[in-house]
Amino acid sequence: MSYEQEGRVLVPPVPRRLGRTAVLVLVLLGAVVLAVGLGSVTIPPGEVLGALWRGITGAELAGNDVIVWQLRLPRVVMGVVVGACLAVCGGAFQGVFRNPLADPYLLGVASGAGLGAAVGIVAGWPRGTIPLAALVTALAAVAVTLGLAREGRRFPPTRLILAGVVVGSVLSALTTFLMLGGEDRARRVLAYTLGDLGFSGWPDIAAVLPYAAVGCGVLMLLGRALDTLQLGDLTARSLGVPVERLRLLVVVAASLATAAAVAYVGIIGFVGLIVPHVVRLVWGASHRVLLPVSALLGGTLLVLADLLARTTPLSQVGVVTTLLGGPFFLWLLRRGRYE
Amino acid sequence: MQKFLPLTVLSLTLGTATLSRAAGATTYPLTLTDDLGRQVTVKAEPRRIVSLLPSDTETLCALGVCDRLVGVDTYSDFPQQVTRLPKVGGLYDPDLEKIVALKPDLVVVSKYGKLEGPLTRAGITVLAVNPETYDEVFSKTLTLGRVVNREAQAKQLVLNMKRDIARVEILTRNATRKPSTYLEIDPAPYSVGPNSFIGVLLAKAGARNIIPASMGDFPKVDPEFIVKANPALMLGLDLKTARSRPGWNSLQAVKTGRVLPIPKELNTILGRPGPRLPEALRGLARLVHPELFR
């Protein structure tokens, strides 16, 4: 369970990996079962199972079935999808920028989505169009960041990060300006930017899933290239990694997945920053392991955080992730040897 | 109290004549504790007042001192005549220089603006008067009355308000059914508890609030809870929004089409614990029991 040493084989033998993956999948499933079973409305386990059965078979929903099948389960599934998504994108960003502070929102995705949502909310557009507006502006924000950071055909990491921070700040300021204009809508915009899985339904999941699957799938396929990139741009190039194209591909894939997540559930902090580090501390830094394991752990973490948000007065999932994730990570940091 | 409502109305109506003479004039300097817990001394009867809270603006005008207002905040828009006054910004963006330039001898502020420090240092008397609960609407009206030497008018105003409220209550109390109601103040969703200002009005309007007192005054509600409660009436959102929410199609209120947005004007008054309280109650009662107002 120690941090991999340089010079040792980065990939552990197969049986150990299979065992570890199995354990993580079981933990995730355990979290899902727990989260579907518990909520602000108490429903006995037998009824929960019945509701799931009736939901899957398409039978008539009765009594508490609606709560389990239409509200709780979609919320939990959305938690798994978004949590996995944020953790994978965070890990990929940290790898591609070789910067431990990178998170999925690094290039202005979140503030772009926030601005789109704020415009929609202040203009009074119908609720269904808000996520689409957020998605469009989130991707536009990343495009602007990429445009500003470009040097010919190259995207130097430092320029990307700086451009992202500035684009993010400008867009956040615009959002704040809009919020100050509409007094009664300010709280709605604020609530949106805080992140919430509250009204996630099956259609929302169907909307997010393609982006998440494509984005995260591409990132996981790039694991080996990201590992090589850790040796430095020059070395990676000499080993045949198309560094610039890789960087662009990672940014586009991660932004696509993150933008979809932000558009539907708002900005949930901390998961994308911390989960990859936890995985590195415990399972080593190879991206081929890091990204899939981050997905499992990110999904688990967000489902449990949302469970606490639903059943305790903490009530906002972002508050839970930070309040509980922060101290846990600091404890891990003291225990582990982080270099 | 509930039992003797008609008597209450009668005594409130009769009492007004005798009471209005019982209140004396305010003597200055007047020292009182304001809503920030500060000891404030009003040196003389205020003649140039700036109000930074719409409910205070409405109360001052209802007390008959509208002509003493020399400036108001961005959101003060009632009565009509205050819209012509200089605007000195809102809670988040007050224009201190503009306020000082108006040479007020009293500035009435909310608890949350943090204006008291700089204005006090500028030598201006600042008083935080910030009604939030149902009972505070009346007590703050009396406070403002004392401050501007309109104590008799304040007592009269409170009596009139209580009488008008009792009149609505007589109607709603005898309603045959009291629909279980979910009132949404924010689509996050936030609702109101029974002890909040709006929650009290909702009960008086003849509705049964699905939110228990234990959840607090302005709780963020888990949608599961609303589905479980299955309200017969929903206020503060439209039918289309309610239908679009996962699992809400099967709810009583959605099936029967009893999902009603709150009209803009009523929504404004509901957010203002001031003299238009009876009007807010009437508006709510009309939504909850349209059959009583035909």
Side-chain angles (χ1 to χ4, degrees):
Chain A
M1 292 295 260
S2 75
Y3 193 71
E4 299 289 349
Q5 298 297 305
E6 255 183 296
R8 280 195 17 217
V9 184
L10 274 175
V11 187
V14 169
R16 219 183 91 194
R17 274 175 65 192
L18 271 179
R20 181 189 56 211
T21 310
V23 166
L24 282 167
V25 170
L26 282 177
V27 169
L28 175 61
L29 285 176
V32 168
V33 169
L34 198 66
V36 175
L38 300 174
S40 61
V41 175
T42 311
I43 303 171
E47 251 187 279
V48 172
L49 288 173
L52 293 180
W53 177 247
R54 282 185 286 276
I56 292 165
T57 53
E60 187 72 30
L61 298 180
N64 287 329
D65 291 4
V66 169
I67 293 179
V68 175
W69 184 254
Q70 301 274 25
L71 279 85
R72 214 179 269 179
L73 187 62
R75 195 171 174 161
V76 170
V77 172
M78 189 62 124
V80 173
V81 172
V82 171
C85 209
L86 291 174
V88 170
C89 295
F93 265 172
Q94 284 161 11
V96 82
F97 293 119
R98 293 198 297 276
N99 181 330
L101 289 177
D103 77 351
Y105 307 128
L106 184 75
L107 300 181
V109 166
S111 27
L115 180 62
V119 168
I121 288 168
V122 171
W125 296 347
R127 191 176 170 269
T129 63
I130 302 288
L132 294 174
L135 186 66
V136 170
T137 43
L139 293 174
V142 177
V144 170
T145 302
L146 286 172
L148 287 172
R150 226 180 71 179
E151 274 181 2
R153 295 183 50 196
R154 296 184 52 243
F155 294 94
T158 313
R159 275 181 71 117
L160 264 174
I161 293 172
L162 279 174
V165 168
V166 174
V167 166
S169 303
V170 170
L171 297 181
S172 296
L174 276 172
T175 306
T176 309
F177 171 70
L178 278 175
M179 279 168 67
L180 290 177
E183 185 199 16
D184 51 340
R185 305 197 194 265
R187 221 184 35 207
R188 203 174 306 179
V189 178
L190 183 68
Y192 176 88
T193 52
L194 279 175
D196 191 16
L197 300 167
F199 280 122
S200 303
W202 294 116
D204 299 337
I205 292 168
V208 172
L209 206 54
Y211 294 98
V214 170
C216 296
V218 167
L219 293 176
M220 288 193 199
L221 290 175
L222 296 172
R224 190 181 290 272
L226 282 169
D227 282 347
T228 317
L229 192 64
Q230 301 317 297
L231 306 167
D233 280 13
L234 273 175
T235 318
R237 255 192 219 103
S238 65
L239 288 169
V241 175
V243 174
E244 299 310 326
R245 242 184 302 162
L246 171 69
R247 200 166 280 143
L248 191 60
L249 193 57
V250 166
V251 165
V252 171
S255 297
L256 205 63
T258 310
V262 173
Y264 280 86
V265 303
I267 301 159
I268 297 171
F270 221 70
V271 179
L273 175 70
I274 293 305
V275 170
H277 286 297
V278 173
V279 177
R280 265 187 218 100
L281 280 168
V282 180
W283 288 283
S286 163
H287 287 82
R288 273 172 296 169
V289 175
L290 174 77
L291 297 184
V293 172
S294 290
L296 292 170
L297 208 61
T300 308
L301 178 72
L302 196 55
V303 166
L304 292 177
D306 186 53
L307 175 62
L308 283 169
R310 285 188 282 135
T311 51
T312 64
L314 287 169
S315 88
Q316 201 77 40
V317 71
V319 175
V320 181
T321 49
T322 312
L323 266 184
L324 300 181
F328 170 76
F329 180 71
L330 290 174
W331 172 78
L332 205 65
L333 198 58
R334 296 289 308 158
R335 250 186 88 251
R337 300 205 317 283
Y338 212 103
E339 31 231 78
Chain B
M1 178 81 197
Q2 281 285 314
K3 250 176 158 160
F4 303 111
L5 261 175
L7 272 179
T8 314
V9 175
L10 188 70
S11 62
L12 284 172
T13 318
L14 287 176
T16 53
T18 44
L19 252 168
S20 54
R21 264 175 271 124
T26 307
T27 45
Y28 298 94
L30 165 74
T31 302
L32 69 163
T33 309
D34 78 350
D35 288 350
L36 284 162
R38 304 152 60 243
Q39 287 283 314
V40 179
T41 301
V42 182
K43 292 191 221 39
E45 190 172 325
R47 297 285 173 193
R48 297 181 59 80
I49 306 170
V50 172
S51 165
L52 287 164
L53 201 66
S55 51
D56 286 342
T57 304
E58 292 191 24
T59 302
L60 287 166
C61 286
L63 294 174
V65 293
C66 224
D67 55 339
R68 297 192 198 173
L69 285 171
V70 292
V72 289
D73 68 296
T74 319
Y75 302 108
S76 287
D77 55 4
F78 188 89
Q80 185 61 39
Q81 64 197 95
V82 304
T83 55
R84 291 194 294 275
L85 289 169
K87 295 265 184 269
V88 295
L91 188 64
Y92 306 104
D93 53 348
D95 190 337
L96 277 168
E97 291 181 15
K98 209 166 172 181
I99 297 170
V100 174
L102 289 167
K103 298 196 182 61
D105 48 17
L106 176 70
V107 180
V108 185
V109 297
S110 94
K111 271 193 271 201
Y112 306 103
K114 297 199 167 58
L115 274 170
E116 68 284 356
L119 283 175
T120 307
R121 282 194 293 277
I124 291 169
T125 309
V126 180
L127 190 70
V129 182
N130 200 150
E132 281 179 344
T133 65
Y134 176 80
D135 292 328
E136 278 173 351
V137 176
F138 305 109
S139 62
K140 302 302 172 196
T141 300
L142 296 173
T143 304
L144 277 175
R146 261 180 73 210
V147 170
V148 299
N149 196 11
R150 286 286 181 275
E151 212 167 354
Q153 284 85 339
K155 286 189 167 144
Q156 183 67 53
L157 178 60
V158 166
L159 279 172
N160 291 348
M161 283 161 72
K162 286 191 167 160
R163 188 193 58 219
D164 292 347
I165 286 164
R167 280 184 177 150
V168 178
E169 274 191 284
I170 286 173
L171 282 176
T172 57
R173 205 188 34 151
N174 295 324
T176 41
R177 39 161 204 93
K178 296 198 169 178
S180 61
T181 304
Y182 161 67
L183 192 153
E184 184 169 284
I185 51 168
D186 184 293
Y190 280 87
S191 187
V192 293
N195 296 328
S196 68
F197 158 72
I198 302 178
V200 170
L201 291 183
L202 191 62
K204 288 184 185 295
R208 280 184 297 122
N209 192 348
I210 63 165
I211 308 290
S214 58
M215 282 172 84
D217 283 356
F218 297 101
K220 183 163 188 259
V221 192
D222 185 342
E224 275 183 21
F225 177 87
I226 301 162
V227 171
K228 181 73 191 173
N230 195 4
L233 171 68
M234 294 191 189
L235 298 173
L237 66 162
D238 56 35
L239 192 55
K240 211 170 123 234
T241 307
R243 279 214 180 99
S244 74
R245 288 179 179 173
W248 281 32
N249 264 322
S250 55
L251 298 185
Q252 273 189 83
V254 180
K255 277 182 183 158
T256 56
R258 293 281 283 147
V259 181
L260 310 168
I262 294 173
K264 198 168 180 319
E265 175 69 3
L266 176 57
N267 209 26
T268 305
I269 312 175
L270 273 177
R272 288 204 192 157
R276 289 193 285 169
L277 192 83
E279 205 178 316
L281 175 58
R282 259 197 307 278
L284 263 187
R286 268 206 177 86
L287 290 176
V288 179
H289 290 291
E291 76 282 0
L292 298 176
F293 291 88
R294 279 185 192 126

